[in-house]
Every structure is written in C-alpha cells, then in structure tokens.
Amino acid sequence: MGTPEFPNLGKHCSVGDCNQIDFLPFTCDRCDHVFCLQHRSYTSHQCPNANQKDVTVLICPLCAKGVRLNPNEDPNITWDTHVNSDCDPSNYQKVTKKKKCPVPGCRETLTFSNTIRCKDCTKEHCLKHRFGPDHKCPGPRKPESTFPFGNMLRRSQKAESRSNSNSSSTSSSWWSSSLLTAATSFKSSAEAGMQKLSTATTQAIQKAKDGISTSSSNSGDLVEQCVQCPARFSTVGALIEHCEKSHQSNSQSSRSRVTVDVCPKCSKAFRDPVLLVEHVERDHGGTSRA
C-alpha cells in the first residue's frame, strides 16, 4: 500500500464488502472508522453512533423556551435543571401572544418589517391593510367645539348634580350660574359698545381724509356735526380736532376704568367676574354667604 516515497499513503475502506483503497480517505467523527468517498455518510456505512450528536429540543410549557436534551444525560435531569435555573413563566405571554392585525379575518402577525401605523386612526396594520379603505378607517377624530366658559359651565353642572340632596349647595349653584350669566352679558355689551365707538371714529377720520367739506361756500356756517355729540363745526379740521381731544380721551378713560368685584367672604378683589366665580367655587366650597 502506498509508494516507496509515501509508504503510508492511502487506507482501505472499513466496509467489509468494499475494502477499497482510497488515497483521500474520510474518517467518521462518530465511530472513528475510515471510509471511502462512497461510504463516507452515516447512512451508507450504517454508523452505530449516528444519533449521538442529534439535537432534540423540547418547548417548555411554562416559559415557551426551547430546552435542548443532551444525548448522554437523562431527560428528567435536564428538565429539572431547566425548571430550577432559567425557567421564567412571565416570558410565556411575550412569546405566545404576539400582536396581530386588527382587521377582522386577518391573522397576520405584526413584526418590525410588516407593520404600518395609520396616520388617521393611529392603529397598526399589516401591509395588506395599510390603506384606509382596506381596514375601514373612520378617519381623523374631529376636534370638539368649545367656547370660552365651557369648563366653568361643566363645573357648575357638576355642582348642581351634587346639590340635589343639599339645599345650601343648591343656592350656591344658583348664585354661581346667575353671576356667570351676568358676567357674560356685561362682557358682550362692552365689546359691542367699543365696536360701535371704533366704527364711528373711523368714519369721521375717513370723511376728513376724503376731503368732504361743505364749508367752502360759507365758512361762517356750522355745517360739520360730530357723530358722537351735538357739537357742530365750520371746518373739517375743527371737527377732527374735537374728536381727537374729546371722544378718544373719553374712550381711553372708559377703557382704563376697571370694575373690581369683591368676594363677600374674604374681601378679595377680582377684575374679571369669572375669576370671582372660580375663586368662590374653589376656595369657599361654592357658597358666597359671609
């Protein structure tokens, strides 16, 4: 066997019926016998130790983790070792209950690569139902219409519902509602008056800018009349000067005047009646009796 230069070159196949000399033999990693190219596999030479390196994995019913069984170890010992060391029952929910597409009839598991969040309903769907008509998207939520005293009215309604069994709280709720209504009416009338004054002043200034004057024929007659008072003037310039001195100063003084409301219990002053209502409900339990 071999050559004079390489006397140990080549080996015979261990299969009795073959016994073929192979210069590139294969050594089985389980039975350590030498085989030729034809009988190198475990099945072809019927290796008795073929199952020693088989991998058997069981899924733990407690934590859903895979437990590998060792060929040279009792499966009961392997199982006890897993239960007493790395078995975590809290992992079962994470593994078994995976997030799925919410569309009825679709059981697609949502992963990082196939998940799309709808910008209207903000729900996650699979790629198949990523468009609105596919998952029957209701559309974006409509903003709730609110008005300035919405929170105050809701708090007043809650106070009234709690006051069905208490007469004192009933009178307090009535006082709060009345004061809130009066404050709202006062604010509306003040805004309307300021708007009317601003419109009249604008008209007078515009009339002066346009050069409308009927005093060119008779400068001695008082033909220009103020829109805010009975005063009359002979020239447009005199009318403008009168409006700037008299009515704008009155408007500014009326704006500078601030109505102060005083709490009847603690004598604390408030410029806004709404703030007084909130103060009474928050600090005095909703009653204003001194």
Side-chain angles (χ1 to χ4, degrees):
M1 183 174 58
T3 62
E5 294 81 5
F6 302 98
N8 296 324
L9 182 62
K11 292 183 181 181
H12 290 277
C13 180
S14 299
V15 178
D17 297 339
C18 179
N19 200 23
Q20 177 183 355
I21 185 172
D22 197 332
F23 293 99
L24 294 175
F26 296 88
T27 302
C28 181
D29 59 350
R30 299 191 182 181
C31 63
D32 296 329
H33 291 169
V34 179
F35 300 95
C36 63
L37 178 62
Q38 182 180 358
H39 300 98
R40 72 184 185 278
S41 63
Y42 303 139
T43 306
S44 60
H45 68 265
Q46 298 179 358
C47 183
N49 301 327
N51 59 350
Q52 287 185 356
K53 293 188 177 180
D54 290 345
V55 177
T56 303
V57 178
L58 298 179
I59 303 300
C60 178
L62 301 178
C63 63
K65 291 183 179 180
V67 181
R68 180 176 179 178
L69 300 181
N70 299 324
N72 299 325
E73 186 179 20
D74 187 3
N76 295 326
I77 298 177
T78 305
W79 188 260
D80 292 340
T81 304
H82 164 71
V83 172
N84 296 327
S85 59
D86 59 346
C87 184
D88 185 10
S90 62
N91 186 61
Y92 186 83
Q93 298 292 337
K94 300 178 183 178
V95 175
T96 56
K97 293 187 178 180
K98 296 183 179 180
K99 196 172 183 180
K100 297 183 181 298
C101 182
V103 177
C106 180
R107 304 305 299 169
E108 182 73 18
T109 301
L110 298 181
T111 60
F112 177 78
S113 60
N114 71 336
T115 302
I116 298 295
R117 182 181 294 274
C118 181
K119 64 180 180 179
D120 293 332
C121 61
T122 66
K123 293 183 179 180
E124 294 181 347
H125 302 84
C126 63
L127 296 178
K128 182 180 179 181
H129 302 100
R130 63 185 182 274
F131 297 111
D134 296 333
H135 62 263
K136 298 181 181 180
C137 182
R141 297 181 58 184
K142 297 181 180 179
E144 297 180 358
S145 58
T146 57
F147 54 97
F149 300 103
N151 296 330
M152 179 68 66
L153 293 177
R154 282 193 290 270
R155 287 197 295 267
S156 178
Q157 291 176 357
K158 291 180 180 179
E160 290 179 358
S161 63
R162 291 195 302 266
S163 64
N164 292 332
S165 59
N166 191 345
S167 59
S168 61
S169 59
T170 303
S171 60
S172 173
S173 300
W174 176 86
W175 180 85
S176 301
S177 302
S178 301
L179 183 58
L180 179 60
T181 304
T184 306
S185 302
F186 174 77
K187 186 175 181 180
S188 301
S189 60
E191 291 178 352
M194 295 301 298
Q195 183 67 26
K196 183 177 180 181
L197 179 61
S198 177
T199 303
T201 305
T202 304
Q203 292 177 355
I205 296 176
Q206 185 65 31
K207 183 177 179 181
K209 289 181 180 180
D210 294 340
I212 300 176
S213 176
T214 57
S215 61
S216 57
S217 59
N218 189 4
S219 60
D221 297 335
L222 301 179
V223 295
E224 300 294 339
Q225 183 177 359
C226 180
V227 295
Q228 298 293 326
C229 63
R232 301 176 66 89
F233 301 92
S234 59
T235 62
V236 178
L239 174 61
I240 295 176
E241 184 179 0
H242 164 72
C243 291
E244 292 178 350
K245 290 183 178 180
S246 302
H247 299 298
Q248 288 189 2
S249 60
N250 293 336
S251 175
Q252 293 177 357
S253 62
S254 63
R255 293 181 183 178
S256 61
R257 288 197 298 269
V258 179
T259 303
V260 178
D261 297 317
V262 180
C263 178
K265 294 197 69 173
C266 62
S267 300
K268 189 175 180 180
F270 297 90
R271 293 184 177 182
D272 193 349
V274 177
L275 297 178
L276 174 59
V277 174
E278 293 180 351
H279 163 71
V280 172
E281 292 185 349
R282 181 179 62 252
D283 298 339
H284 301 303
T287 177
S288 61
R289 296 181 180 178

